Amino acid sequence: MIAHARRPDWRTALLDTIYRLPADYVPPRLVSTSRTGIQAGFEVRREVIRDLRALAAASRAADAGIAVWSSYRSYGEQAGAFDLWVRTGGYRDALRKSARPGHSEHQLGTAIDFRSADALKAPWDYADWGKTKPGRWMGENAWRYGFILSYPQGASAETCYGYEPWHYRYVGRELAAEIQASGSTLRRYLWEHFASVELDDPQPEP
Ligand SMILES: [Zn+2]
């Protein structure tokens, strides 16, 4: 497994089943989502706030309001989340549905799992959240606000994970527009343009 340098670039750091963040990596400048007009109780990198606020307002204006289900998760919290998936469905199933600790985009402080604003229900408890009004609106518009869907449908061979219509990663409007125009998945795009430039020596998995 390959660990990124201590200070990975939050925009371009590639995280998948191979690349991971150091266990002690905590993003600088974590702030509460209460500043976005969505809801309090979650943290993201400060760089995300302005566009998250704009995204939330635009979704409400389109009558497709979104809210946050989950955002920043520490290495330890991700370890707990992964263990829970292992206990409920087994290790192989967990690998498809969740990232092992260090491999999650949530540890960057820029990934958000969204839900519908009008129902306090996990997005994975829908047949396909991507087909709900908020999910569809996000699929069409999130990139305009700098958010890219990390794990689109039918792309698991390339993204390492199953379809997650709720999981978006913020990369800034400029890079998001480039990725959207390329038609590529986030992982492939980062791999082709930015991989291997900021890596520590390979370290054994803990
Ligand atoms: Zn997620």
Side-chain angles (χ1 to χ4, degrees):
M1 299 300 134
I2 304 167
H4 280 280
R6 305 266 117 207
R7 266 183 258 170
D9 186 302
W10 60 268
R11 257 188 208 90
T12 61
L14 175 62
L15 292 172
D16 55 16
T17 53
I18 302 165
Y19 289 97
R20 64 177 170 83
L21 294 166
D24 61 358
Y25 175 80
V26 176
R29 301 186 295 275
L30 282 170
V31 295
S32 168
T33 52
S34 63
R35 298 199 206 171
T36 62
I38 294 188
Q39 83 245 73
F42 300 94
E43 288 181 315
V44 292
R45 276 189 80 116
R46 193 178 65 194
E47 289 88 342
V48 181
I49 290 289
R50 183 199 297 244
D51 278 333
L52 180 58
R53 188 189 300 122
L55 177 78
S59 75
R60 278 194 301 273
D63 195 25
I66 46 134
V68 175
W69 180 269
S70 174
S71 59
Y72 168 67
R73 285 201 290 272
S74 69
Y75 183 95
E77 286 165 340
Q78 185 65 29
F82 185 78
D83 281 350
L84 190 62
W85 284 109
V86 171
R87 284 203 296 278
T88 50
Y91 189 76
R92 189 180 292 267
D93 184 58
L95 278 181
R96 276 193 72 254
K97 291 178 174 166
S98 178
R100 286 166 296 151
H103 295 269
S104 173
E105 293 184 332
H106 288 281
Q107 195 182 337
L108 279 176
T110 55
I112 297 175
D113 294 334
F114 289 97
R115 65 171 173 86
S116 302
D118 63 2
L120 192 60
K121 180 176 168 182
W124 42 85
D125 285 339
Y126 294 76
D128 180 356
W129 188 73
K131 293 221 164 68
T132 65
K133 196 168 180 190
R136 250 196 347 264
W137 185 88
M138 285 290 288
E140 287 163 13
N141 298 289
W143 68 272
R144 301 179 207 280
Y145 301 87
F147 291 85
I148 291 288
L149 185 69
S150 296
Y151 314 117
Q153 197 158 27
S156 61
E158 204 167 291
T159 65
C160 302
Y161 298 104
Y163 173 46
E164 293 195 5
W166 53 83
H167 177 110
Y168 284 82
R169 174 168 161 190
Y170 182 73
V171 294
R173 293 190 188 208
E174 196 179 333
L175 182 55
E178 282 174 26
I179 295 169
Q180 178 73 13
S182 77
S184 183
T185 60
L186 174 65
R187 177 173 181 245
R188 176 187 281 269
Y189 195 90
L190 295 182
W191 181 277
E192 290 178 349
H193 293 80
F194 303 105
S196 81
V197 295
E198 51 180 350
L199 304 174
D200 282 344
D201 290 329
Q203 296 170 3
E205 278 288 273

